Amino acid sequence: MPERLTETLVDLWTPLIILWITLPTCVYMAPMNQAHTLTTGSPLGLSRQSEELRILNRSKRGWVWNQMFVLEEFSGPEPILVGRLHTDLDPGSKKIKYILSGDGAGTIFQINDITGDIHAIKRLDREEKAEYTLTAQAVDWETNKPLEPPSEFIIKVQDINDNAPEFLNGPYHATVPEMSILGTSVTNVTATDADDPVYGNSAKLVYSILEGQPYFSIEPETAIIKTALPNMDREAKEEYLVVIQAKDMGGHSGGLSGTTTLTVTLTDVNDNPPKFAQSLYHFSVPEDVVLGTAIGRVKANDQDIGENAQSSYDIIDGDGTALFEITSDAQAQDGVIRLRKPLDFETKKSYTLKVEAANIHIDPRFSGRGPFKDTATVKIVVEDADEPPVFSSPTYLLEVHENAALNSVIGQVTARDPDITSSPIRFSIDRHTDLERQFNINADDGKITLATPLDRELSVWHNITIIATEIRNHSQISRVPVAIKVLDVNDNAPEFAAEYEAFLCENGKPGQVIQTVSAMDKDDPKNGHYFLYSLLPEMVNNPNFTIKKNEDNSLSILAKHNGFNRQKQEVYLLPIVISDSGNPPLSSTSTLTIRVCGCSNDGVVQSCNVEAYVLPIGLSMGALIAILACIILLLVIVVLFVTLRRHKNEPLIIKDDEDVRENIIRYDDEGGGEEDTEAFDIATLQNPDGINGFLPHDRRGLLRGIPENAA
């Protein structure tokens, strides 16, 4: 302990002794004829100062001092002498007063205005302020007039080792891959020292590791941390705490130090293969399990983490490779075995699979350690289940002719119970698919029969569903679709495709096509329709018309001559016999109506009425209509004229002295509706003159026919 104290005192007082030796030379005056100089010897005089000297007409003057220094953190009982100002104009008569201004003048630094001695009156800290710029001036003591222009000088605060190194960004964290080689760089740390880096060794740092060896090392000057052991295993230890020290004074004794911590985490690499937890797995599954159902899970553990622990699973061998599959669950890191195809307990009761787990991401650095995979055996036992009936076919297609007899067998479906204890089967028709109950089925043997007649022209297809039910367990049922196609038979005769009406021009030419007709047949023969057209036997030698078969299966009717006259005959009826090509063939007779019409020269029909033929020659239809309109208009005018004339001759005033009640007639008959109206004219009451002979003749006759005693 005494030795360490002695070293500390030596390090502390050595700069002070050097300053004490050099200080007198800094404050004594130089020869009178020298200019202002610094310790470096460079001139202090400025152009501004030279100009001021010329203004003052000074031939000789000068400040003499060197650059001044003061030791930081000095705390003696008396103010510390920094230096002394002196001018060559001072003869020692004490008529010169020295004035100090600038940074810290009067607060940090004081000057003896007579001697020019400068003292530091406060404790200085270089890290707070490293230098001060002040201005010195010499003035006459009595007049305060400047004897010299003011001049600047610098007081520098001399550094001592009073600041320890600091790690401003600590504590630190870093990562390095596991299994790294020796000397792999981990990270670097940096400490700072507030002391002067250019003066002495106060800020010269040296780094070392206090804790964390032998796993890591550090470069003393650069603070680069490296691995000190090769192949560190994350699975053995993942995290390390390293304590780092930074010491100033170049690491020598007496220096100050600071520490920080570094947490180093080993990151994972794929250096471990997957390993199944067990070599043999057992699973059982019912035979009626739904396809895609998970049967079981297998897992291969991996000491690595993240993607390095990800494994893919495959079935590489076994007698169930076609029935089962395995998929990888990325979340659980296991393999899920699922069913691909249906199982049958009665066919095979167990299966053996060989599954493999292999790492997905392989690190080539460790591939030489062996395959990063593992295998296990999986035993799957199939359990018996009560299964529904199984039809011999997934669908059935039946055909039946539309003229099939009732109760005839159309076809048959079969089903069986796949269980070992086979149960009898009963068949039925789902009536929701056969609402009209056109079919029946034998419950025991599955034969389908016809219940109602079929008509292909109404419906070609009938789709029904057959249900098979186990007698021992009615809950076990199966369904199968049955499509029944109705086959065509020739049971419809052909007929005209439309209601045809032909028109024949009076001025037509022989051989001219009057009308083209086509036929249709509701049947659907395999080879398509082919029609035969003919006239009735008694119409074969028809003098007016003939027929011609066309290649498109249609028929053209042609006129044999010209000179048809609608006055002689307006309409012709032509019966045509149409036969199909069925076996046996069917035929029907359709009649074509042919009207004789008047046509223009280019064959456009104008009129087909007989009355139009007897009209006066030379009058067009428009002219006849105009004449008829004029006649009707003339008749209307005549009727209006007569009516107005008659109303003009009738008196409009009823005579009050006439008793109109004499016209009232009484009779015992019940009311006769219109007969009463005819017998009594109310207009007579309004016009008494009617009694005097203006009744209509029919009214008078009616009155004469009534006896006088009818009332």
Side-chain angles (χ1 to χ4, degrees):
M1 183 67 185
E3 295 178 355
R4 183 176 183 87
L5 180 60
T6 303
E7 293 176 356
T8 303
L9 293 175
V10 171
D11 292 338
L12 179 62
W13 286 101
T14 299
L16 294 177
I17 295 172
I18 296 174
L19 179 63
W20 177 75
I21 295 173
T22 58
L23 188 59
T25 61
C26 298
V27 299
Y28 287 155
M29 290 187 300
M32 294 295 291
N33 59 350
Q34 291 183 350
H36 301 71
T37 60
L38 297 174
T39 305
T40 57
S42 59
L44 282 178
L46 303 176
S47 60
R48 179 177 59 84
Q49 296 174 347
S50 300
E51 185 67 23
E52 292 175 352
L53 291 176
R54 286 193 295 271
I55 294 174
L56 294 176
N57 294 320
R58 296 281 184 181
S59 58
K60 287 187 178 181
R61 65 100 186 125
W63 292 101
V64 181
W65 67 83
N66 292 328
Q67 190 175 39
M68 298 183 183
F69 295 89
V70 60
L71 195 66
E72 69 168 333
E73 303 295 345
F74 183 80
S75 58
E78 298 293 335
I80 184 174
L81 179 63
V82 177
R84 175 176 295 173
L85 298 180
H86 188 73
T87 177
D88 54 1
L89 299 179
D90 186 3
S93 60
K94 300 183 179 180
K95 292 184 179 182
I96 296 176
K97 183 169 70 173
Y98 295 96
I99 299 174
L100 185 67
S101 62
D103 290 344
T107 58
I108 300 176
F109 304 101
Q110 280 186 346
I111 188 170
N112 188 318
D113 53 3
I114 298 175
T115 64
D117 292 340
I118 300 174
H119 291 83
I121 61 176
K122 291 182 65 176
R123 183 176 180 179
L124 301 179
D125 186 359
R126 189 203 65 84
E127 287 71 40
E128 181 179 345
K129 190 173 179 64
E131 62 182 30
Y132 296 84
T133 302
L134 296 100
T135 302
Q137 190 173 21
V139 298
D140 185 88
W141 186 269
E142 295 178 355
T143 63
N144 283 332
K145 291 183 179 180
L147 302 176
E148 290 285 347
S151 181
E152 291 183 349
F153 65 97
I154 295 174
I155 298 177
K156 287 191 174 183
V157 181
Q158 192 171 12
D159 182 55
I160 65 172
N161 189 21
D162 60 340
N163 291 278
E166 294 182 349
F167 292 90
L168 300 179
N169 298 323
Y172 299 89
H173 296 271
T175 60
V176 63
E178 65 171 332
M179 297 297 169
S180 296
I181 62 175
L182 179 65
T184 301
S185 177
V186 177
T187 186
N188 70 311
V189 296
T190 303
T192 60
D193 195 317
D195 294 324
D196 191 354
V198 299
Y199 180 79
N201 294 327
S202 298
K204 184 178 181 181
L205 304 181
V206 174
Y207 298 90
S208 62
I209 291 181
L210 302 182
E211 183 180 341
Q213 296 173 338
Y215 306 103
F216 301 96
S217 63
I218 189 170
E219 292 286 342
E221 296 181 358
T222 62
I224 297 176
I225 301 170
K226 300 180 180 180
T227 58
L229 285 179
N231 301 327
M232 286 188 290
D233 191 359
R234 185 199 66 84
E235 287 73 33
K237 185 176 181 180
E238 184 176 6
E239 194 171 86
Y240 296 84
L241 181 65
V242 181
V243 179
I244 303 169
Q245 181 190 65
K247 189 174 182 181
D248 58 15
M249 297 300 292
H252 297 294
S253 60
L256 303 179
S257 64
T259 60
T260 188
T261 59
L262 168 66
T263 301
V264 181
T265 303
L266 298 184
T267 58
D268 185 63
V269 298
N270 191 10
D271 59 337
N272 294 281
K275 186 70 176 178
F276 279 105
Q278 57 195 73
S279 60
L280 180 62
Y281 293 85
H282 291 274
F283 301 108
S284 60
V285 56
E287 62 175 328
D288 59 350
V289 68
V290 180
L291 296 183
T293 302
I295 296 173
R297 290 174 175 262
V298 297
K299 184 171 184 179
N301 297 316
D302 196 319
Q303 296 182 15
D304 298 318
I305 59 175
E307 69 175 17
N308 295 321
Q310 293 179 358
S311 296
S312 63
Y313 295 85
D314 293 292
I315 299 175
I316 60 175
D317 198 6
D319 54 2
T321 55
L323 278 73
F324 302 95
E325 65 179 359
I326 188 169
T327 58
S328 301
D329 186 344
Q331 297 296 329
Q333 292 294 318
D334 56 7
V336 183
I337 301 175
R338 300 181 185 274
L339 182 65
R340 293 178 57 191
K341 294 183 179 180
L343 298 174
D344 187 6
F345 173 80
E346 290 72 25
T347 303
K348 191 173 178 59
K349 297 178 176 58
S350 66
Y351 297 90
T352 301
L353 304 175
K354 186 176 182 181
V355 296
E356 179 185 78
N359 278 157
I360 298 176
H361 305 281
I362 304 297
D363 193 329
R365 294 178 299 172
F366 310 105
S367 59
R369 293 189 177 186
F372 279 71
K373 61 181 64 176
D374 194 18
T375 59
T377 303
V378 177
K379 292 281 187 179
I380 300 176
V381 177
V382 181
E383 297 177 347
D384 189 24
D386 191 3
E387 301 175 88
V390 178
F391 283 96
S392 60
S393 176
T395 59
Y396 290 89
L397 174 62
L398 306 179
E399 293 182 345
V400 57
H401 286 88
E402 60 180 322
N403 61 349
L406 298 181
N407 298 322
S408 60
V409 177
I410 299 174
Q412 184 179 14
V413 297
T414 59
R416 66 177 182 84
D417 183 4
D419 299 320
I420 295 178
T421 58
S422 180
S423 172
I425 306 297
R426 292 189 65 85
F427 299 95
S428 61
I429 297 177
D430 185 351
R431 290 304 176 183
H432 292 92
T433 61
D434 185 25
L435 297 176
E436 298 179 359
R437 296 182 174 271
Q438 292 183 283
F439 306 96
N440 290 325
I441 189 170
N442 189 301
D444 297 324
D445 58 13
K447 290 182 179 179
I448 302 173
T449 57
L450 185 64
T452 61
L454 299 175
D455 188 355
R456 190 205 66 84
E457 285 70 45
L458 295 178
S459 181
V460 178
W461 288 96
H462 297 272
N463 297 297
I464 63 175
T465 299
I466 304 299
I467 302 174
T469 307
E470 288 186 12
I471 295 178
R472 296 177 183 174
N473 186 358
H474 291 173
S475 64
Q476 295 295 334
I477 62 174
S478 296
R479 299 172 182 268
V480 68
V482 178
I484 302 174
K485 182 179 181 180
V486 181
L487 302 178
D488 183 58
V489 296
N490 192 25
D491 57 348
N492 292 278
E495 56 187 8
F496 276 159
E499 293 291 336
Y500 293 105
E501 186 177 16
F503 298 95
L504 173 63
C505 292
E506 290 179 307
N507 56 353
K509 298 180 181 179
Q512 183 177 1
V513 176
I514 301 173
Q515 181 70 39
T516 299
V517 298
S518 59
M520 54 85 63
D521 195 328
K522 296 180 180 179
D523 296 321
D524 186 19
K526 294 181 179 180
N527 299 324
H529 290 290
Y530 181 80
F531 300 115
L532 298 175
Y533 301 93
S534 64
L535 298 175
L536 292 175
E538 59 271 19
M539 300 290 292
V540 173
N541 296 322
N542 190 303
N544 298 312
F545 307 100
T546 185
I547 60 176
K548 176 185 177 183
K549 175 69 182 295
N550 300 321
E551 293 182 358
D552 60 354
N553 221 13
S554 63
L555 180 71
S556 297
I557 293 88
L558 295 80
K560 280 189 173 182
H561 59 82
N562 58 2
F564 288 91
N565 193 332
R566 51 185 160 154
Q567 186 177 11
K568 293 181 180 180
Q569 185 170 348
E570 181 184 6
V571 178
Y572 293 89
L573 301 178
L574 183 63
I576 299 174
V577 180
I578 308 174
S579 301
D580 59 21
S581 56
N583 186 18
L586 296 179
S587 63
S588 67
T589 301
S590 299
T591 301
L592 178 66
T593 301
I594 304 174
R595 293 186 178 276
V596 181
C597 302
C599 304
S600 61
N601 294 333
D602 54 359
V604 178
V605 176
Q606 292 183 339
S607 175
C608 297
N609 297 326
V610 178
E611 292 78 3
Y613 183 79
V614 298
L615 291 175
I617 300 175
L619 292 178
S620 63
M621 183 63 67
L624 293 176
I625 293 174
I627 294 173
L628 182 60
C630 292
I631 295 173
I632 293 173
L633 181 61
L634 183 60
L635 290 176
V636 171
I637 294 174
V638 172
V639 171
L640 291 176
F641 178 77
V642 172
T643 303
L644 294 175
R645 179 85 177 187
R646 181 178 178 182
H647 283 289
K648 184 177 180 181
N649 295 331
E650 291 180 355
L652 301 177
I653 301 175
I654 300 176
K655 297 179 180 180
D656 296 335
D657 56 350
E658 297 292 340
D659 190 0
V660 297
R661 289 176 295 173
E662 295 179 359
N663 255 350
I664 299 175
I665 302 172
R666 298 178 180 177
Y667 53 91
D668 296 333
D669 295 339
E670 295 181 359
E674 294 181 359
E675 294 179 358
D676 290 347
T677 305
E678 296 293 336
F680 174 71
D681 191 358
I682 192 65
T684 306
L685 298 176
Q686 300 174 352
N687 190 2
D689 293 341
I691 303 176
N692 299 328
F694 286 96
L695 286 174
H697 296 288
D698 54 349
R699 297 288 190 270
R700 295 175 182 177
L702 181 59
L703 293 175
R704 285 194 299 269
I706 301 175
E708 293 180 0
N709 59 358

